[in-house]
Amino acid sequence: MTLPGTLHYFPAPTTQAFCSQCGNPLSRLVPPEDNRERDVCNHCGAVHYRNPLIVVGTVPIWNDQVLLCRRAIEPRYGKWTLPAGFMELAETTAQGALRETDEEAGADVTLGSLFTVLDVPRVNQVHMYFLATVNSERLDPGPESLEARFFNLDEIPWEELSFRTVFHTLQAYLQSRASGQFATHYHSIE
Amino acid sequence: MTLPGTLHYFPAPTTQAFCSQCGNPLSRLVPPEDNRERDVCNHCGAVHYRNPLIVVGTVPIWNDQVLLCRRAIEPRYGKWTLPAGFMELAETTAQGALRETDEEAGADVTLGSLFTVLDVPRVNQVHMYFLATVNSERLDPGPESLEARFFNLDEIPWEELSFRTVFHTLQAYLQSRASGQFATHYHSIE
């Protein structure tokens, strides 16, 4: 899609027609010593793999409240989410989770342990959420959030959450609070 | 690099010069509403993000032995590794770990829990290893392995391992055997 006021569209293209190395058209074929079709350039020889992406975020807790952000971007404009986003190059998952928490909520948090690892094969993503303790009530939501606020744990807007990974992570958090066990959860969302 | 007998080179290119959507040259700039430089096409508007890759594998255990594969490919040709490789589209991390164990060792395993999640920011990767129980002593190493065999846990070739993530995962496994605690380990390898 093209955003108003810009020539650039989002999200990133997921198919490719031309070689990023030499600009010639790509072919779809099984490269030598491979076992599945790839986008291959018969001009320069480049093989252009496509692989799943990692989304990193936090479960930011302030006393008995959880910090959620209301999305100012598609998909799920206006829905509530835990702060999260695509992991960038040259960072760790923990650093990415902290960065997204800062960018989306402007929250000062101390990172805890890795809490959920969630496969979402339908969209070729793996989501990873870390526990986090909020250090100050002050928030400063960025341009990707309409607002950011704390919710009591019995007032989480379950019907207005953005993604199943957010739903699953918040459910797991409540169960962990009840059991006192905060080990990493792994789950596939089919 | 170009492999003997093929026009196609590996690994995949990590920089890009031309737009995969329209074939025009790319520019390096900060897109609107973004906060870092991306490869952008000023002709069609596509933004070409680059993100970390996921490597998935297993710790395959047969009685008190661990299954390792000797690499038939670069990097680390000839070194010993746990079966692992790049996660593909349309699969879960667990499915990818099983697939790699089959492709590299031809081993019939039953997957256990997620065991290690290891950041390797220097190469823009996150490695994820699952515990696995080997169901049959029969192995059938694929073209990416020179051989596959079981090692007693006190005979692991520590000096001949391929990657720090393999070293770390095997160390964590020995510690978990000693403690009886097999919770997911998260660690960043800087």
Side-chain angles (χ1 to χ4, degrees):
Chain A
M1 71 185 165
T2 303
L3 293 183
T6 164
L7 292 173
H8 301 107
Y9 60 82
F10 307 81
T14 55
T15 58
Q16 44 198 356
F18 296 91
C19 178
S20 65
Q21 304 304 293
C22 72
N24 280 282
L26 293 174
S27 301
R28 193 79 187 153
L29 56 84
V30 181
E33 304 182 41
D34 202 341
N35 55 19
R36 64 184 69 200
E37 286 194 338
R38 311 285 182 184
D39 296 317
V40 171
C41 180
N42 286 321
H43 182 78
C44 78
V47 181
H48 299 278
Y49 299 94
R50 291 175 51 221
N51 298 90
L53 296 178
I54 302 170
V55 170
V56 286
T58 59
V59 186
I61 301 296
W62 170 257
N63 300 322
D64 288 331
Q65 298 187 309
V66 62
L67 169 60
L68 298 179
C69 303
R70 203 152 71 87
R71 288 173 63 83
I73 52 174
E74 295 291 354
R76 306 287 191 278
Y77 181 99
K79 300 295 184 187
W80 291 95
T81 185
L82 290 163
F86 288 109
M87 185 179 176
E88 298 277 5
L89 297 183
E91 69 183 5
T92 66
T93 49
Q95 288 165 347
L98 274 177
R99 177 183 51 71
E100 288 290 342
T101 306
D102 178 53
E103 287 179 5
E104 298 198 350
D108 172 22
V109 304
T110 299
L111 214 63
S113 59
L114 176 61
F115 184 59
T116 53
V117 176
L118 302 169
D119 289 311
V120 197
R122 190 179 59 81
V123 292
N124 300 308
Q125 294 176 1
V126 178
H127 292 219
M128 297 172 57
Y129 282 94
F130 289 78
L131 299 176
T133 305
V134 181
N135 297 318
S136 154
E137 213 166 359
R138 204 186 68 85
L139 301 176
D140 180 19
E144 297 189 1
S145 302
L146 296 170
E147 60 179 309
R149 54 161 282 212
F150 297 100
F151 287 84
N152 290 323
L153 295 179
D154 58 359
E155 292 174 347
I156 290 171
W158 295 105
E159 305 299 321
E160 294 295 319
L161 295 179
S162 56
F163 300 110
R164 287 177 66 189
T165 50
V166 172
F167 182 92
H168 187 93
T169 297
L170 287 169
Q171 288 274 327
Y173 179 73
L174 293 187
Q175 288 162 14
S176 288
R177 294 266 294 205
S179 69
Q181 297 291 332
F182 289 89
T184 310
H185 296 242
Y186 168 71
H187 186 71
S188 290
I189 294 178
E190 306 286 353
Chain B
M1 69 183 165
T2 303
L3 293 183
T6 166
L7 291 173
H8 302 107
Y9 61 80
F10 306 82
T14 54
T15 59
Q16 44 197 358
F18 295 91
C19 178
S20 65
Q21 305 303 294
C22 70
N24 280 281
L26 293 173
S27 301
R28 193 80 186 151
L29 56 83
V30 181
E33 304 182 41
D34 202 341
N35 56 18
R36 64 184 69 199
E37 286 193 339
R38 311 285 182 184
D39 296 316
V40 171
C41 179
N42 286 320
H43 181 78
C44 77
V47 181
H48 299 278
Y49 299 93
R50 291 175 50 221
N51 298 90
L53 296 177
I54 302 170
V55 169
V56 286
T58 59
V59 186
I61 301 296
W62 171 257
N63 300 323
D64 288 330
Q65 298 187 307
V66 62
L67 170 60
L68 299 179
C69 303
R70 203 152 71 87
R71 288 173 63 83
I73 52 174
E74 295 290 353
R76 306 286 191 278
Y77 180 99
K79 300 295 184 187
W80 291 96
T81 185
L82 291 163
F86 288 109
M87 186 178 175
E88 299 277 3
L89 298 182
E91 69 183 6
T92 65
T93 50
Q95 288 165 346
L98 274 178
R99 177 183 51 71
E100 289 289 342
T101 306
D102 178 52
E103 288 179 4
E104 298 198 348
D108 172 22
V109 304
T110 299
L111 214 63
S113 60
L114 177 61
F115 184 58
T116 53
V117 177
L118 303 169
D119 289 312
V120 197
R122 190 179 58 82
V123 292
N124 300 309
Q125 294 176 2
V126 178
H127 292 220
M128 297 172 57
Y129 282 94
F130 289 79
L131 298 177
T133 305
V134 181
N135 297 319
S136 154
E137 213 166 1
R138 203 186 68 84
L139 301 176
D140 181 18
E144 296 189 0
S145 302
L146 296 171
E147 60 179 311
R149 54 162 283 210
F150 297 100
F151 286 84
N152 290 323
L153 294 179
D154 58 0
E155 292 173 348
I156 290 171
W158 295 106
E159 304 299 321
E160 294 295 318
L161 295 179
S162 56
F163 300 111
R164 286 176 66 188
T165 50
V166 172
F167 182 91
H168 187 91
T169 298
L170 288 169
Q171 288 273 328
Y173 179 73
L174 293 187
Q175 289 161 14
S176 288
R177 294 265 295 204
S179 69
Q181 296 291 332
F182 289 89
T184 310
H185 296 241
Y186 168 71
H187 185 70
S188 291
I189 294 178
E190 306 285 354

